[in-house]
Protein backbone atom coordinates (compact mmCIF):
# COMPACT_ATOMS: atom_id res chain seq x y z
CA UNK A 1 0.00 0.00 0.00
CA UNK A 2 2.91 2.34 -0.66
CA UNK A 3 0.73 4.35 -3.05
CA UNK A 4 -1.21 5.71 -0.05
CA UNK A 5 1.81 7.64 1.26
CA UNK A 6 1.19 11.32 1.94
CA UNK A 7 2.99 13.94 -0.20
CA UNK A 8 6.24 14.92 1.48
CA UNK A 9 6.28 18.54 0.34
CA UNK A 10 2.98 19.98 1.61
CA UNK A 11 0.12 19.53 4.07
CA UNK A 12 -2.53 17.09 2.88
CA UNK A 13 -6.10 16.41 4.00
CA UNK A 14 -7.39 12.98 3.04
CA UNK A 15 -10.89 11.67 3.70
CA UNK A 16 -11.74 8.00 4.09
CA UNK A 17 -15.40 7.13 3.58
CA UNK A 18 -17.57 4.16 2.67
CA UNK A 19 -20.84 4.05 0.74
CA UNK A 20 -23.25 1.39 -0.45
CA UNK A 21 -23.76 0.89 -4.18
CA UNK A 22 -26.97 2.92 -3.91
CA UNK A 23 -25.08 5.80 -2.29
CA UNK A 24 -25.88 5.35 1.42
CA UNK A 25 -23.18 6.51 3.84
CA UNK A 26 -24.36 4.16 6.60
CA UNK A 27 -26.01 0.77 6.80
CA UNK A 28 -29.60 0.02 7.74
CA UNK A 29 -28.61 0.20 11.43
CA UNK A 30 -27.31 3.75 11.06
CA UNK A 31 -23.63 2.76 11.36
CA UNK A 32 -20.88 2.28 8.80
CA UNK A 33 -19.55 -1.03 10.16
CA UNK A 34 -21.97 -3.37 8.33
CA UNK A 35 -20.97 -1.85 4.98
CA UNK A 36 -17.32 -2.81 5.39
CA UNK A 37 -15.36 -6.03 5.32
CA UNK A 38 -11.94 -7.30 6.31
CA UNK A 39 -10.13 -5.43 3.54
CA UNK A 40 -11.94 -2.19 4.38
CA UNK A 41 -10.99 -2.57 8.05
CA UNK A 42 -7.37 -3.20 7.05
CA UNK A 43 -7.31 -0.06 4.91
CA UNK A 44 -8.99 1.92 7.71
CA UNK A 45 -6.18 1.09 10.12
CA UNK A 46 -3.47 1.55 7.47
CA UNK A 47 -4.66 5.07 6.66
CA UNK A 48 -4.79 5.92 10.35
CA UNK A 49 -1.23 4.70 10.70
CA UNK A 50 -0.03 7.07 7.98
CA UNK A 51 -1.76 10.16 9.38
CA UNK A 52 -0.57 12.62 12.01
CA UNK A 53 -4.11 12.97 13.36
CA UNK A 54 -7.69 11.86 12.73
CA UNK A 55 -10.37 14.52 12.22
CA UNK A 56 -14.05 13.68 12.73
CA UNK A 57 -17.35 15.32 13.56
CA UNK A 58 -18.87 15.02 17.01
CA UNK A 59 -21.96 13.23 15.68
CA UNK A 60 -19.88 10.48 14.10
CA UNK A 61 -17.84 10.12 17.29
CA UNK A 62 -21.06 9.51 19.21
CA UNK A 63 -22.76 7.29 16.62
CA UNK A 64 -19.74 5.06 16.00
CA UNK A 65 -18.58 4.87 19.64
CA UNK A 66 -15.08 6.24 19.09
CA UNK A 67 -12.28 5.57 21.53
CA UNK A 68 -8.75 7.00 21.59
CA UNK A 69 -6.69 6.65 18.42
CA UNK A 70 -3.91 4.08 18.79
CA UNK A 71 -0.25 5.12 19.06
CA UNK A 72 -1.22 8.28 20.91
CA UNK A 73 -2.25 10.15 17.79
CA UNK A 74 -4.59 13.08 18.32
CA UNK A 75 -8.30 12.72 17.66
CA UNK A 76 -9.59 16.07 16.40
CA UNK A 77 -13.30 16.37 17.11
CA UNK A 78 -15.29 19.09 15.34
CA UNK A 79 -18.08 20.44 17.54
CA UNK A 80 -19.81 23.78 17.17
CA UNK A 81 -21.88 23.34 20.35
CA UNK A 82 -19.51 21.27 22.54
CA UNK A 83 -22.51 19.11 23.43
CA UNK A 84 -20.18 16.30 24.46
CA UNK A 85 -19.85 13.76 27.23
CA UNK A 86 -16.46 14.62 28.68
CA UNK A 87 -16.35 11.18 30.29
CA UNK A 88 -16.62 9.46 26.88
CA UNK A 89 -13.84 6.95 26.06
CA UNK A 90 -12.27 9.07 23.32
CA UNK A 91 -11.22 11.64 25.92
CA UNK A 92 -8.89 8.97 27.30
CA UNK A 93 -6.33 9.82 24.62
CA UNK A 94 -5.05 13.07 23.16
CA UNK A 95 -8.15 14.94 22.05
CA UNK A 96 -8.30 18.27 20.24
CA UNK A 97 -11.65 20.04 20.02
CA UNK A 98 -12.16 22.26 16.97
CA UNK A 99 -14.95 24.67 17.87
CA UNK A 100 -16.15 28.29 17.75
CA UNK A 101 -16.10 31.41 19.92
CA UNK A 102 -19.83 31.21 20.65
CA UNK A 103 -19.70 27.61 21.87
CA UNK A 104 -20.97 27.06 25.41
CA UNK A 105 -18.85 25.11 27.88
CA UNK A 106 -15.55 26.39 26.47
CA UNK A 107 -13.94 26.62 29.91
CA UNK A 108 -15.11 23.11 30.79
CA UNK A 109 -13.89 21.76 27.45
CA UNK A 110 -10.40 23.15 28.07
CA UNK A 111 -10.18 21.08 31.26
CA UNK A 112 -10.64 17.88 29.27
CA UNK A 113 -8.94 18.52 25.92
CA UNK A 114 -6.89 20.89 23.80
CA UNK A 115 -9.20 23.45 22.23
CA UNK A 116 -8.81 25.29 18.92
CA UNK A 117 -11.28 28.11 18.33
CA UNK A 118 -11.79 28.78 14.62
CA UNK A 119 -14.66 31.09 13.73
CA UNK A 120 -17.34 32.82 15.75
CA UNK A 121 -20.58 30.91 15.23
CA UNK A 122 -19.57 28.35 12.58
CA UNK A 123 -16.29 26.50 12.23
CA UNK A 124 -13.82 28.15 9.85
CA UNK A 125 -11.98 25.09 8.61
CA UNK A 126 -9.30 27.09 6.78
CA UNK A 127 -8.29 28.80 10.03
CA UNK A 128 -8.63 25.55 11.94
CA UNK A 129 -6.31 23.70 9.56
CA UNK A 130 -3.70 26.46 9.86
CA UNK A 131 -3.76 26.04 13.64
CA UNK A 132 -3.37 22.28 13.29
CA UNK A 133 -0.49 22.67 10.86
CA UNK A 134 1.21 24.98 13.36
CA UNK A 135 1.07 22.08 15.83
CA UNK A 136 2.90 19.89 13.30
CA UNK A 137 -0.25 18.03 12.27
CA UNK A 138 0.01 18.29 8.50
CA UNK A 139 -1.04 14.80 7.38
CA UNK A 140 -4.70 14.74 8.31
CA UNK A 141 -7.28 11.98 7.88
CA UNK A 142 -10.94 12.99 7.93
CA UNK A 143 -13.37 10.18 8.74
CA UNK A 144 -16.50 12.28 8.36
CA UNK A 145 -19.22 12.55 9.10
CA UNK A 146 -21.02 13.72 5.99
CA UNK A 147 -21.78 17.21 7.34
CA UNK A 148 -18.17 17.92 8.30
CA UNK A 149 -16.84 16.48 5.04
CA UNK A 150 -19.26 18.57 2.99
CA UNK A 151 -18.09 21.74 4.74
CA UNK A 152 -14.43 20.86 4.19
CA UNK A 153 -15.01 20.08 0.52
CA UNK A 154 -17.09 23.23 -0.02
CA UNK A 155 -14.23 25.28 1.44
CA UNK A 156 -11.85 23.78 -1.14
CA UNK A 157 -9.75 22.05 1.53
CA UNK A 158 -10.18 18.40 0.55
CA UNK A 159 -7.06 17.06 -1.16
CA UNK A 160 -8.01 13.41 -1.52
CA UNK A 161 -10.98 11.09 -1.07
CA UNK A 162 -10.59 7.38 -0.44
CA UNK A 163 -13.99 5.82 -1.10
CA UNK A 164 -14.89 2.22 -0.41
CA UNK A 165 -17.88 1.09 -2.47
CA UNK A 166 -19.73 -1.60 -0.55
CA UNK A 167 -21.85 -4.25 -2.34
CA UNK A 168 -24.91 -3.46 -0.21
CA UNK A 169 -28.22 -1.94 -1.16
CA UNK A 170 -29.53 0.11 1.76
CA UNK A 171 -32.44 2.18 0.46
CA UNK A 172 -34.44 4.34 2.82
CA UNK A 173 -33.46 7.94 3.43
CA UNK A 174 -29.83 7.42 4.46
CA UNK A 175 -27.57 10.41 3.89
CA UNK A 176 -24.75 10.46 1.36
CA UNK A 177 -21.06 10.83 2.21
CA UNK A 178 -21.44 14.61 1.77
CA UNK A 179 -24.42 16.25 3.39
CA UNK A 180 -24.53 20.02 3.36
CA UNK A 181 -23.75 22.97 1.10
CA UNK A 182 -23.21 22.58 -2.65
CA UNK A 183 -19.58 21.70 -3.36
CA UNK A 184 -18.93 21.82 -7.11
CA UNK A 185 -15.45 20.28 -6.89
CA UNK A 186 -14.06 17.86 -9.47
CA UNK A 187 -11.47 15.29 -8.42
CA UNK A 188 -9.36 13.00 -10.59
CA UNK A 189 -9.35 9.23 -10.23
CA UNK A 190 -5.91 8.24 -8.92
CA UNK A 191 -6.32 4.60 -7.88
CA UNK A 192 -8.62 1.57 -8.07
CA UNK A 193 -8.42 -1.65 -6.06
CA UNK A 194 -10.78 -4.58 -5.72
CA UNK A 195 -11.19 -7.09 -2.93
CA UNK A 196 -14.05 -9.51 -3.49
CA UNK A 197 -17.14 -7.42 -4.09
CA UNK A 198 -15.74 -4.24 -2.51
CA UNK A 199 -14.13 -1.51 -4.63
CA UNK A 200 -11.53 0.87 -3.22
CA UNK A 201 -11.36 4.14 -5.14
CA UNK A 202 -9.03 7.10 -4.69
CA UNK A 203 -9.69 10.57 -6.03
CA UNK A 204 -7.35 13.56 -5.67
CA UNK A 205 -7.45 17.25 -6.46
CA UNK A 206 -6.22 18.03 -9.96
CA UNK A 207 -3.81 20.85 -9.14
Amino acid sequence: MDDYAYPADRPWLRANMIASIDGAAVGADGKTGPLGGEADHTLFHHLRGLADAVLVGAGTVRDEGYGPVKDGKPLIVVSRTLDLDFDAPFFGGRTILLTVEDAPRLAEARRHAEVIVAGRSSVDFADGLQELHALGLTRLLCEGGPVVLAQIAAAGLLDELCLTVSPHLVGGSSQRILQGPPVGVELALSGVRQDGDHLFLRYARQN
Side-chain angles (χ1 to χ4, degrees):
M1 295 188 181
D2 292 344
D3 53 333
Y4 285 98
Y6 280 83
D9 58 345
R10 53 177 166 164
W12 194 259
L13 196 160
R14 164 186 287 156
N16 183 33
M17 302 292 285
I18 190 168
S20 68
I21 53 175
D22 63 324
V26 294
D29 66 349
K31 296 185 178 182
T32 60
L35 296 179
E38 183 177 349
D40 177 64
H41 296 154
T42 298
L43 178 61
F44 174 88
H45 290 293
H46 179 68
L47 294 182
R48 278 193 165 193
L50 294 175
D52 293 328
V54 175
L55 186 151
V56 66
T60 298
V61 165
R62 287 190 292 263
D63 293 343
E64 301 287 344
Y66 269 57
V69 180
K70 292 183 178 179
D71 301 325
K73 291 183 179 180
L75 179 66
I76 305 159
V77 179
V78 181
S79 178
R80 185 178 58 83
T81 64
L82 293 179
D83 182 18
L84 300 166
D85 176 6
F86 293 118
D87 293 321
F90 68 88
F91 281 106
R94 184 184 176 190
T95 305
I96 300 173
L97 299 177
L98 182 58
T99 189
V100 297
E101 291 179 25
D102 290 344
R105 306 175 73 195
L106 266 176
E108 184 181 4
R110 288 190 169 103
R111 293 197 295 269
H112 296 272
E114 300 172 53
V115 175
I116 292 176
V117 174
R120 185 171 183 81
S121 58
S122 61
V123 175
D124 185 322
F125 283 97
D127 286 351
L129 290 187
Q130 287 186 353
E131 295 281 351
L132 292 168
H133 296 163
L135 295 175
L137 306 175
T138 59
R139 299 175 300 178
L140 298 176
L141 175 65
C142 177
E143 295 178 351
V147 173
V148 166
L149 184 56
Q151 293 171 346
I152 289 172
L157 301 171
L158 181 64
D159 296 302
E160 180 183 345
L161 171 65
C162 295
L163 176 64
T164 299
V165 180
S166 168
H168 288 79
L169 289 169
V170 175
S173 57
S174 177
Q175 59 188 351
R176 300 181 300 171
I177 64 167
L178 269 69
Q179 197 76 24
V183 174
V185 172
E186 183 175 353
L187 302 177
L189 184 66
S190 59
V192 179
R193 293 172 179 263
Q194 180 180 359
D195 186 276
D197 295 319
H198 283 79
L199 282 177
F200 300 88
L201 309 177
R202 291 179 62 204
Y203 293 88
R205 63 166 64 243
Q206 295 179 318
N207 52 13

